[in-house]
Every structure is written in structure tokens, then in C-alpha cells.
Amino acid sequence: MSDLPPLPRTWRPFGPRMAAAVFAIVLVGAFAWLWVRFDEQTKQAINILEKATVIGIVGLGLALMLALARSRVVARPDGLTIVNGYRKRELTWAEVGTVRMPRGAPWPHLDQGDDVRISLLGIHTSDGARAATAVRELKAVVAAHRADS
């Protein structure tokens, strides 16, 4: 097949990763700018619990952005690795189902039957043609390994 990429092959979302990076910079920058703009009296009026709360909220935002940015799908000779946020799944080719990309869906999924679906956040439709190519390549890899078994 012409769409069969060499393995190992990793697919990552471009748009969501860039959005996560920009949001992280804006989030940290905005709070830092705000702190610098406060006068000394205001800075002294803020207690340690309030500072910890703001730092916690910023930290949570950064953790969510990191989860989005680290999503990926990796096809290896021995199987598929799916990382969605902080959850990692290692599947052998025998465990991999059918790759489906429903119209209007934000990302494809592996349909494993019995209403079991695994989202593939490493391929995001907001990437347009790049995502379409990734789905085509992944389908070709899955088909090639299904034919081998």
C-alpha cells in the first residue's frame, strides 16, 4: 500500500499542541504580569493561602494543557501505543480493532466491538488535511497487520 508508513510511526495533534503551548504561556504570563503590576500594599495584603490557591489554579491549567499536548498514537512493529492525556494503553495488533473516523467527530477511535471504543486523541480533525493523512496511514498500518495475522 502506498499509504503504509515505516514503523515505528508517531502521530501527534499539531493544532491542540500549539494551542496548549500558547495557553500555558498566556496563563503564566498573565498572572506574572498581574503580580508585577500590584502595588506593595496589595502584595502584602495577599496571604499565603490566597497565593497557594492561585498557584494551584495555574498549576491545574498547566497540567490540563500538558495532558492535551502529550496525546499521541504510536504504531510499532509489535502493536499500537495510545496516549490520551495521562493514560497510556499498549495494544498488540491482535487487540487492535477497526479505525473509524465518524463525520463531525473531533478525533478518530478504535472500534473494538461490544461497544468498546478507544479515542485516539493523537489525531485531531482540527489539523485538517494532516489529520486525514494520519487516519489514512493508520488505517493502512492496521489493515497490513490484520492481513499478517
Side-chain angles (χ1 to χ4, degrees), residues 1-138:
M1 291 185 180
S2 63
D3 285 337
L4 193 62
L7 299 183
R9 173 73 162 97
T10 302
W11 295 277
R12 296 177 187 267
F14 180 75
R17 289 177 75 206
M18 292 303 106
V22 168
F23 180 75
I25 291 168
V26 168
L27 182 67
V28 171
F31 278 97
W33 179 82
L34 213 73
W35 183 254
V36 169
R37 299 292 300 160
F38 284 157
D39 59 29
E40 273 312 305
Q41 184 180 0
T42 304
K43 287 180 184 178
Q44 290 174 1
I46 298 172
N47 68 38
I48 191 72
L49 185 59
E50 292 167 335
K51 289 176 187 175
T53 301
V54 170
I55 291 170
I57 290 170
V58 170
L60 178 62
L62 293 175
L64 292 172
M65 292 302 103
L66 177 61
L68 179 63
R70 69 185 304 263
S71 297
R72 64 187 176 276
V73 177
V74 182
R76 304 173 325 275
D78 60 331
L80 205 60
T81 300
I82 302 163
V83 179
N84 291 335
Y86 292 107
R87 183 168 187 186
K88 181 177 180 179
R89 294 180 186 194
E90 302 269 349
L91 303 174
T92 64
W93 287 113
E95 298 171 306
V96 173
T98 305
V99 178
R100 300 211 189 279
M101 185 64 211
R103 184 172 300 275
W107 45 73
H109 62 264
L110 283 179
D111 188 352
Q112 296 186 295
D114 296 330
D115 291 331
V116 176
R117 290 191 181 115
I118 301 173
S119 296
L120 303 173
L121 274 62
I123 301 171
H124 205 279
T125 57
S126 66
D127 289 340
R130 189 173 189 269
T133 300
V135 169
R136 197 169 41 252
E137 289 175 350
L138 182 57

